[in-house]
Amino acid sequence: MPDQPSGVTRTTPGAIIVVQLDLPAGPRVIGRLDLSEVQSLNPHIRFTSGRIVGEYAYFTTVQPPTLAIVDLETTGAHPLYDRVTEVAVIEVEGGEVKDEWSTLVNPECAIPAAIQALTGITNDMVAGAPTFGRFAGALHERLAGRVLVAHNARFDYGFLRQEFQRAGLQFRARTLCTVKLSRRLYPEHARHNLDSLIARHGLECRARHRALGDADAVWQFLRLAAEERGEE
């Protein structure tokens, strides 16, 4: 069997993998590892179609995109007029959480009483918090190149774009909405809001209507959906 090219990491997207076909004595082999061993190194490895030369097939590896699971708490529902009061980001790479980050945000306006009651975030809590502009650059860098995942992604994405614009930054990202994902994967159910997903799938939410708690619940749903309906 040809040796795997030097300097190639098997779990790196674009790596060349050599697969020997039709081995009479056992499982197929990738390099010097069989398929089960490679999957144990990184269960998220997938393979593109390759080319077959004689008894060997040559494939390139692909991996899931890096994700930023985002949740925002806000003073209302309109990005043009309302402001962000809390941000949370869970960074996921190769199916594993690499970092979590969250902060309260001073919205530079009063939080309506109904919103305070819903989220538990009060005017006093955000009085000493940074404004969005204070950390906009760092957050922009944190999200760069990642797929933005959110429950009702249009809401979070719209607020982020508006807040970044106020800070003098342009923001664009690919998005994945877990409301739409749930509707597609579980069409037998009528309700797909986050409370329904938490109850239906037995998710744990450390703090409902707080940014990091809700983002973590979305991450749990993504993992569960991948396990149950991964091929879909």
Side-chain angles (χ1 to χ4, degrees):
M1 171 181 293
D3 291 334
Q4 185 168 331
S6 61
V8 169
T9 302
R10 289 183 175 83
T11 58
T12 300
I16 297 175
I17 302 297
V18 181
V19 180
Q20 188 168 356
L21 305 174
D22 301 324
L23 291 179
R28 293 185 299 169
V29 172
I30 298 181
R32 292 187 174 86
L33 299 174
D34 66 38
L35 285 172
S36 62
E37 290 174 322
V38 171
Q39 292 295 332
S40 71
L41 288 175
N42 186 338
H44 303 282
I45 291 177
R46 298 292 182 269
F47 302 99
T48 65
S49 58
R51 62 189 180 92
I52 296 176
V53 180
E55 63 181 320
Y56 301 106
Y58 296 80
F59 294 85
T60 53
T61 60
V62 293
Q63 288 179 296
T66 56
L67 307 177
I69 301 170
V70 173
D71 189 82
L72 307 178
E73 301 303 327
T74 66
T75 61
H78 304 288
L80 287 176
Y81 312 112
D82 294 308
R83 304 298 297 271
V84 170
T85 59
E86 190 173 39
V87 182
V89 181
I90 299 176
E91 299 174 38
V92 176
E93 298 178 10
E96 302 292 336
V97 173
K98 295 300 181 182
D99 195 18
E100 292 183 355
W101 175 85
S102 67
T103 183
L104 288 168
V105 184
N106 186 335
E108 301 180 278
C109 64
I111 303 173
I115 300 296
Q116 293 186 60
L118 176 68
T119 65
I121 300 173
T122 66
N123 289 312
D124 288 342
M125 289 170 63
V126 299
T131 61
F132 192 93
R134 289 273 303 276
F135 57 79
L139 178 58
H140 195 278
E141 184 175 342
R142 185 182 291 272
L143 298 176
R146 297 179 180 272
V147 175
L148 189 151
V149 182
H151 205 67
N152 190 10
R154 182 178 180 181
F155 176 90
D156 299 88
Y157 186 49
F159 266 93
L160 281 174
R161 289 191 62 183
Q162 190 62 41
E163 290 284 10
F164 278 124
Q165 184 173 323
R166 290 188 184 104
L169 297 170
Q170 295 298 311
F171 179 65
R172 297 285 189 278
R174 292 176 294 163
T175 61
L176 171 63
C177 177
T178 50
V179 174
K180 294 180 180 180
L181 181 65
S182 179
R183 286 173 179 159
R184 182 168 69 84
L185 296 181
Y186 302 95
E188 66 274 21
H189 297 292
R191 300 180 65 83
H192 299 273
N193 57 49
L194 192 53
D195 285 325
S196 295
L197 265 59
I198 289 170
R200 184 157 62 237
H201 299 292
L203 310 178
E204 296 181 5
C205 187
R206 64 184 89 168
R208 185 69 178 97
H209 295 297
R210 293 298 301 270
L212 191 56
D214 287 356
D216 183 61
V218 170
W219 168 230
Q220 292 176 55
F221 171 71
L222 276 184
R223 286 184 295 168
L224 181 143
E227 292 172 3
E228 292 186 347
R229 309 289 173 94
E231 295 303 316
E232 300 177 41

